[in-house]
Amino acid sequence: MYVADRTWPELGEYVAEESVALIPLGSTEQHGPHLPLATDHLIAEGLAREAADRTGYLCTPTVNVGVSPHHRQFHGTMWIDPPQFRDYVESLTRNLAYHGIDRVVYVNAHGGNVDHLREVGRRLRDDGTMYAIEWMWDESIPDLVEEVFEHNGPHGGPKETAMIQHLAPDLVREDRLEAARDGGLADVETAEFLQKHGARTFYDAIENSENGVFGDQTDATAEIGERLFEAATEQLVRLLEWLDEQRLDDLLAPAHVDPQPGSRRE
């Protein structure tokens, strides 16, 4: 159920029976010479809307701009600074709590959002508002991703290329796949990243990849993208069903171990 397509009485009927919602989040940032800047939020929205359709749970509009300052050197990249991103997502999620939602899945497709979404989830859990967790699509199917690609990449690589070939094929510059591979970092495992004596000495994607992407994009196909999409959707549906079955009290922050602070004071 997509919230923006519904009337308020229809949503009243939903919250009278259900308390689960999905919030898709991505980014608007460079994904090399072959993929659109919309890549991450297209993937997040596609997965969230499909899982919502299959389960009947509520899906909100997509957060299209995320924490992406590490791609800022490339034209068109947009970003929100981490404190503002966390506050925005927290405020948005509290909207849902006001209307009766008490458990949320952040359907995420951008690595730069992960830590900040987990921090928001902790805030909401610790003050007893709700249980909100971050879910990253490719982390739900790591074995399949490893199986289908010889040279995967963490950004703009074959897994994201295949997903967009499946979801929005008209947006993939198929004639630029070889250029993406050759101008980026094709074999991530053998690369010598800028690290010295145990310290990571780089901050931005351009420091490791001239065109901003990693992996061998020529391995991607729409058929593989469909497999990835279906497998990830199945995992998301299972997560939602598990979440709905839990008692809220079991999801919220546990109490302090006994004795409780101050319990011996007179």
Side-chain angles (χ1 to χ4, degrees):
M1 176 186 293
Y2 182 55
V3 64
D5 288 343
R6 300 291 174 165
T7 67
W8 71 262
E10 291 170 342
L11 293 171
E13 294 171 3
Y14 178 84
V15 296
E17 301 292 335
E18 300 287 355
S19 59
V20 176
L22 303 89
I23 302 178
L25 306 99
S27 69
T28 299
E29 64 181 24
Q30 71 85 17
H31 277 77
H34 63 302
L35 291 179
L37 273 69
T39 291
D40 287 345
H41 69 250
L42 289 174
I43 293 173
E45 181 168 335
L47 289 165
R49 295 283 290 268
E50 181 66 22
D53 287 345
R54 295 187 188 188
T55 60
Y57 295 127
L58 194 69
C59 180
T60 73
T62 304
V63 177
N64 288 341
V65 181
V67 181
S68 303
H70 49 295
H71 294 291
R72 69 188 186 279
Q73 290 90 351
F74 297 95
H75 302 305
T77 293
M78 303 182 69
W79 68 91
I80 301 173
D81 290 330
Q84 287 72 34
F85 177 80
R86 291 192 294 266
D87 288 347
Y88 177 85
V89 174
E90 180 179 348
S91 180
L92 172 64
T93 310
R94 288 186 187 278
N95 294 174
L96 296 175
Y98 176 82
H99 291 297
I101 299 298
D102 61 22
R103 55 204 80 188
V104 162
V105 174
Y106 296 124
V107 180
N108 182 36
H110 173 50
N113 294 340
V114 172
D115 291 343
H116 309 292
L117 293 174
R118 288 191 57 79
E119 170 60 24
V120 171
R122 173 174 287 280
R123 293 180 189 177
L124 296 167
R125 178 176 183 254
D126 286 355
D127 69 14
T129 299
M130 66 161 58
Y131 185 74
I133 52 173
E134 183 266 347
W135 177 85
M136 186 77 174
W137 74 271
D138 57 317
E139 293 180 1
S140 76
I141 52 171
D143 292 341
L144 177 57
V145 171
E146 183 176 352
E147 172 192 333
V148 295
F149 299 123
E150 182 177 358
H151 296 296
N152 190 29
H155 181 76
K159 64 186 177 186
E160 290 183 323
T161 303
M163 286 285 273
I164 299 301
Q165 285 172 325
H166 169 59
L167 290 169
D170 292 345
L171 297 181
V172 180
R173 281 62 170 177
E174 295 284 349
D175 62 338
R176 301 294 293 163
L177 296 182
E178 290 186 4
R181 177 197 62 197
D182 297 341
L185 185 61
D187 192 348
V188 178
E189 294 181 358
T190 62
E192 295 184 6
F193 286 112
L194 302 178
Q195 297 189 37
K196 296 184 183 299
H197 312 297
R200 180 180 294 183
T201 58
F202 63 90
Y203 285 94
D204 298 322
I206 199 170
E207 295 177 82
N208 291 319
S209 171
E210 291 184 3
N211 68 2
V213 295
F214 305 84
D216 186 352
Q217 293 76 11
T218 64
D219 286 345
T221 67
E223 291 73 23
I224 293 176
E226 184 177 12
R227 287 182 64 191
L228 297 177
F229 183 84
E230 181 61 31
T233 300
E234 183 177 337
Q235 291 298 314
L236 180 54
V237 166
R238 290 180 180 179
L239 174 62
L240 291 165
E241 292 173 344
W242 170 84
L243 189 60
D244 194 30
E245 292 172 356
Q246 308 310 302
R247 294 177 61 252
L248 182 61
D249 288 346
D250 294 336
L251 295 171
L252 297 179
H256 193 288
V257 295
D258 286 332
Q260 292 291 302
S263 61
R264 293 177 180 172
R265 296 175 186 169
E266 295 182 359

